[in-house]
């Protein structure tokens, strides 16, 4: 009997203030959706770090004459550069990639972008020495020692490019979280105002309940449940929005970029992984906001 009464009160409360309830749900959905987007970016960064952690190399690009004439780094000056690299402190391994191998790697990476493959030529690809360091911090010493050697065009640290990409992704994450925080504040204010309005419109009913012996917790419970239900509906809409965004935008528009393998794809499992977090955060924040509002501003 008590459960059915509380349930009916929750339904009636949501119907009575339908416009504010809709506004609260939509605002919550936007803030939770942005939070979910930020969490997906965090997942993307973690995937990239796991993928590239052991694949980051120092690349010693050779000059055009070496690239054109030396296919296995057996001639000078390439042979002497490779020998010096192998004996250098902090070098774990050295591998030579000739022009044809570099062109094949290029075609593999950009397999989903034929417009780039059509304009690329093997003659434009430089040969290189791929150097694996025991400690990436030793790159400045390697660069200083080998950048000016005969046959060397340039020395590049792949970690620098990854750091720039991570900086961009971290900026997107921070911006998303910042906007989500502003939207969350708006949602909290709407939840608080909705609860106050709902309590005011039902002040006579709750007053009678208190007179006949109902506890304060029993009279406050429907308002807390209203806030939680609205928050959970907003979270469900946010998750649905993330699923639609993946199908309509990420897979279709960003597919050519994510399909190269350079940036990991956002999987359905990633959204499934963060969905319980979004539901829990929405429910807890809604309940806490409702409880604080009832304690500070409403006397039931």
């Amino acid at each position: 009997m008590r459960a059915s009464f509380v349930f009916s009160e929750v339904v009636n409360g949501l119907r009575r203030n339908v416009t504010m309830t809709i506004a609260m749900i939509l605002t919550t959905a936007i803030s939770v959706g942005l939070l979910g987007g930020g969490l997906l970016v965090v997942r993307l960064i973690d995937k990239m770090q796991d993928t590239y952690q052991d694949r980051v190399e120092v690349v010693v690009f050779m000059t055009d004459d070496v690239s054109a004439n030396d296919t296995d780094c057996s001639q000078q000056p390439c042979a002497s550069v490779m020998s010096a690299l192998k004996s250098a402190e902090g070098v774990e391994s050295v591998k030579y990639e000739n022009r044809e191998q570099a062109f094949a790697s290029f075609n593999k990476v950009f397999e989903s972008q034929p417009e780039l493959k059509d304009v690329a030529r093997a003659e434009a690809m430089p040969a290189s020495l791929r150097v694996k360091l025991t400690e990436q911090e030793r790159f400045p010493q390697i660069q200083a020692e080998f950048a000016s050697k005969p046959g060397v065009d340039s020395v590049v640290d792949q970690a620098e490019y990854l750091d720039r990409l991570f900086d961009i992704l971290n900026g997107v994450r921070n911006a998303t979280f910042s906007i989500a925080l502003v939207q969350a504040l708006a949602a909290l204010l709407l939840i608080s105002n909705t609860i106050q309005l709902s309590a005011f419109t039902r002040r006579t009913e709750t007053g009678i309940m208190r007179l006949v012996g109902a506890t304060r917790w029993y009279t406050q419970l429907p308002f807390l449940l209203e806030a939680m239900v609205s928050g959970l509906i907003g979270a469900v809409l946010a998750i649905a929005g993330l699923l639609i965004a993946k199908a309509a935008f990420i897979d279709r528009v960003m597919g050519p970029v994510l399909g190269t393998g350079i940036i990991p794809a956002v999987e359905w499992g990633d959204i499934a992984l963060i969905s319980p977090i979004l539901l829990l955060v929405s429910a807890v924040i809604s309940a806490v906001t409702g409880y604080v509002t009832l304690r500070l501003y409403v006397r039931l």
Side-chain angles (χ1 to χ4, degrees):
M1 181 66 180
R2 289 188 175 184
S4 61
F5 171 76
V6 172
F7 177 77
S8 63
E9 285 295 299
V10 171
V11 174
N12 291 332
L14 293 173
R15 289 167 50 191
R16 187 179 287 117
N17 304 310
V18 63
T19 54
M20 290 193 67
T21 299
I22 292 174
M24 181 170 60
I25 290 173
L26 293 178
T27 307
T28 303
I30 294 173
S31 61
V32 173
L34 289 171
L35 174 62
L39 292 177
L40 287 178
V41 174
V42 173
R43 286 279 301 163
L44 186 65
I45 294 174
D46 290 341
K47 283 184 179 181
M48 292 185 66
Q49 288 177 336
D50 292 339
T51 301
Y52 293 107
Q53 190 72 32
D54 298 326
R55 294 169 56 184
V56 174
E57 298 173 325
V58 170
V59 184
V60 180
F61 288 107
M62 312 307 292
T63 56
D64 288 339
D65 57 329
V66 173
S67 301
N69 301 314
D70 196 345
T71 59
D72 57 1
C73 200
S74 59
Q75 305 176 26
Q76 297 297 337
C78 183
S80 61
V81 174
M82 175 179 271
S83 177
L85 277 170
K86 288 182 177 180
S87 60
E89 184 180 357
V91 174
E92 180 179 324
S93 63
V94 181
K95 179 183 177 182
Y96 183 68
E97 183 180 73
N98 61 34
R99 175 169 281 175
E100 288 70 22
Q101 291 170 333
F103 184 62
S105 298
F106 176 88
N107 287 333
K108 183 178 180 180
V109 171
F110 295 99
E111 185 175 3
S112 61
Q113 295 179 276
E115 63 276 5
L116 291 178
K117 294 174 61 177
D118 292 341
V119 299
R121 296 291 181 270
E123 293 75 16
M125 302 294 162
S128 61
L129 291 166
R130 304 279 171 163
V131 184
K132 183 70 176 178
L133 300 179
T134 56
E135 298 177 358
Q136 206 63 30
E137 291 75 14
R138 299 195 62 82
F139 168 74
Q141 290 87 342
I142 298 295
Q143 185 182 42
E145 182 178 351
F146 289 91
S148 58
K149 282 187 175 294
V152 175
D153 182 66
S154 61
V155 181
V156 174
D157 184 10
Q158 291 181 336
E160 292 184 1
Y161 298 113
L162 287 178
D163 289 341
R164 295 175 188 173
L165 181 58
F166 287 147
D167 288 341
I168 295 174
L169 292 175
N170 286 329
V172 173
R173 178 202 61 194
N174 294 337
T176 303
F177 282 156
S178 298
I179 300 174
L181 182 61
V182 175
Q183 287 289 336
L185 179 60
L188 295 181
L189 293 175
L190 273 172
I191 292 172
S192 179
N193 290 335
T194 302
I195 289 176
Q196 292 183 60
L197 179 60
S198 182
F200 179 79
T201 57
R202 284 184 279 175
R203 64 190 185 280
T204 303
E205 300 171 22
T206 54
I208 294 173
M209 292 172 62
R210 291 300 305 276
L211 289 174
V212 297
T215 63
R216 173 171 293 184
W217 173 251
Y218 186 69
T219 57
Q220 290 178 347
L221 184 59
F223 302 101
L224 292 177
L225 291 178
E226 284 178 31
M228 291 184 64
V229 168
S230 299
L232 288 173
I233 294 174
V236 170
L237 291 178
I239 295 169
L242 292 176
L243 294 173
I244 294 172
K246 171 174 168 51
F249 176 75
I250 297 177
D251 290 347
R252 293 185 181 181
V253 179
M254 300 296 294
V257 177
L258 300 178
T260 62
I262 299 176
I263 300 177
V266 177
E267 305 290 345
W268 296 109
D270 295 327
I271 299 178
L273 184 66
I274 68 169
S275 294
I277 299 175
L278 301 182
L279 291 170
L280 180 62
V281 168
S282 182
V284 169
I285 291 179
S286 299
V288 170
T289 303
Y291 180 78
V292 172
T293 300
L294 290 170
R295 285 294 180 181
L296 295 181
Y297 301 107
V298 181
R299 293 288 182 260
L300 297 178

